[in-house]
Amino acid sequence: MTFIPLWPQSVSDYSHQVDLLVIAFTVLIVALSAPVFILIVVFAVKYRRGRPADRKHSPNRNIPLEISWSVIPFVALVGFYVWSTELFATLRHAPADALQIDVVAKQWMWKFQHPQGQAEINELHVPAGEPVKLTMASQDVIHSLFIPALRIKQDVVPGRYTTSWFTADKPGTYRIACSQYCGSNHSEMTGSFVVMKPADYAKWLSQSSNDQTLAAEGAALFRSRGCSGCHDPASTVHAPSLVGLYGNPVPLQSGEVVIADDEYIRDSILLPQSQIAAGYQPIMPTFQNVLSEEDVLKIVAYIKSLQPGEATQ
């Protein structure tokens, strides 16, 4: 929609659906409210003081008409509720093959890191036509990543991971903003969202300087911080194996079973006593205030890369 200058461009199928929902809902609200305001004006003129008019109540009532103007709006609003809920739920289920990009928000900048290790500040390059999943963490206060061209906005909260995903179809450069007031320079926390043709994106990756992948950087941290001393297969310490951990169920001492996703691994590093694996002692120290959110994201990427047949380094 470019006929309204203030209306941002739409670059994905999801954003088109959001626009359609907004327009349809606006039409519904106008259709429901316009007759009320029009009749207020008509009756105010017709029955104003001093004007001759028949002021007796009509003896006849149109019951079907009165029921219809209650039932039809109700059914229409329920339909919009289902429609908007379906759109909201779509953002919670990223495709399994989505490109994983980590996001760290801090006062006052966005840092994006690609799986191959390329990092960029206040710029996000993505390939057109491919699903992209963002895993976001904040190092200080609550931020909110807002990409108007995609019609997505997701809070980035300290102490937890939040995610969002999209498939941008139209190459170009668009705006990124923070929609959550996060301090005195909040208005400067902006950036560029660059959608590129897949070939151009591959070329950009190859030309971007970076020697190590995110998982390789995580492997180096895993060793330097002493994690391998307990979790290496050859270690004599009785600690859970991390090979093949990601995405699989983990029984806990509490009797619960959780899935080892990004959030579980992060909590196991920073809050190791919160979810203790069944059969193990609560002896792991916390790495809170030791590792930054960027370091944790790297270690999580490393643990995600450990598949059966590979060993911790």
Side-chain angles (χ1 to χ4, degrees):
M1 295 185 59
T2 58
F3 60 91
I4 302 177
L6 295 179
W7 198 293
Q9 295 186 58
S10 174
V11 299
S12 69
D13 179 65
Y14 181 82
S15 58
H16 289 308
Q17 294 184 50
V18 171
D19 285 351
L20 183 60
L21 173 66
V22 171
I23 293 171
F25 191 72
T26 302
V27 170
L28 174 68
I29 295 303
V30 171
L32 294 178
S33 58
V36 175
F37 290 100
I38 291 173
L39 289 176
I40 288 175
V41 174
V42 170
F43 290 151
V45 172
K46 184 176 181 180
Y47 295 104
R48 70 182 185 276
R49 179 178 296 178
R51 183 179 176 84
D54 182 3
R55 302 179 189 277
K56 295 184 296 185
H57 291 289
S58 172
N60 300 320
R61 297 183 61 186
N62 191 333
I63 301 300
L65 178 62
E66 294 180 7
I67 293 176
S68 66
W69 68 43
S70 299
V71 172
I72 292 176
F74 174 76
V75 173
L77 290 174
V78 169
F80 275 94
Y81 171 77
V82 173
W83 186 1
S84 58
T85 301
E86 183 180 7
L87 282 177
F88 178 80
T90 298
L91 290 180
R92 299 294 175 269
H93 300 91
D97 60 345
L99 173 66
Q100 305 277 333
I101 295 179
D102 293 321
V103 184
V104 174
K106 60 179 77 173
Q107 292 175 318
W108 288 270
M109 56 171 274
W110 299 103
K111 182 176 182 180
F112 302 96
Q113 190 138 19
H114 297 253
Q116 297 85 351
Q118 292 84 354
E120 46 186 342
I121 304 296
N122 292 340
E123 281 194 341
L124 173 59
H125 290 75
V126 300
E130 295 183 21
V132 177
K133 179 181 179 181
L134 303 177
T135 300
M136 297 173 272
S138 171
Q139 281 199 183
D140 36 48
V141 300
I142 298 177
H143 302 275
S144 187
L145 181 67
F146 179 35
I147 306 179
L150 296 173
R151 311 292 191 267
I152 63 171
K153 182 175 75 68
Q154 176 60 56
D155 286 351
V156 187
V157 183
R160 57 175 295 190
Y161 286 154
T162 55
T163 62
S164 188
W165 77 277
F166 58 84
T167 300
D169 298 321
K170 187 177 179 182
T173 300
Y174 311 95
R175 191 169 68 91
I176 289 176
C178 178
S179 61
Q180 175 72 40
Y181 180 73
C182 55
S184 58
N185 291 330
H186 158 72
S187 62
E188 298 178 7
M189 195 169 173
T190 60
S192 299
F193 173 60
V194 184
V195 182
M196 313 175 76
K197 295 179 180 177
D200 294 337
Y201 176 72
K203 183 179 179 181
W204 176 83
L205 283 178
S206 65
Q207 294 177 342
S208 299
S209 60
N210 196 76
D211 296 330
Q212 291 185 309
T213 65
L214 202 62
E217 292 185 58
L221 280 170
F222 192 81
R223 293 191 299 273
S224 66
R225 294 296 183 178
C227 308
S228 57
C230 295
H231 292 283
D232 189 276
S235 172
T236 57
V237 177
H238 184 55
S241 172
L242 305 181
V243 178
L245 170 69
Y246 187 78
N248 288 313
V250 178
L252 304 179
Q253 280 193 0
S254 62
E256 297 176 276
V257 177
V258 298
I259 298 298
D261 56 9
D262 297 63
E263 187 73 32
Y264 170 77
I265 297 175
R266 180 189 180 281
D267 288 349
S268 297
I269 296 171
L270 301 182
L271 304 167
Q273 311 304 319
S274 62
Q275 292 177 306
I276 302 170
Y280 296 93
Q281 295 298 315
I283 58 175
M284 178 171 164
T286 177
F287 283 82
Q288 202 162 33
N289 301 322
V290 176
L291 296 173
S292 67
E293 286 293 347
E294 290 180 59
D295 291 340
V296 175
L297 283 170
K298 292 173 183 175
I299 294 177
V300 171
Y302 170 61
I303 294 174
K304 289 165 68 175
S305 72
L306 295 176
Q307 298 301 319
E310 300 181 31
T312 56
Q313 300 176 38

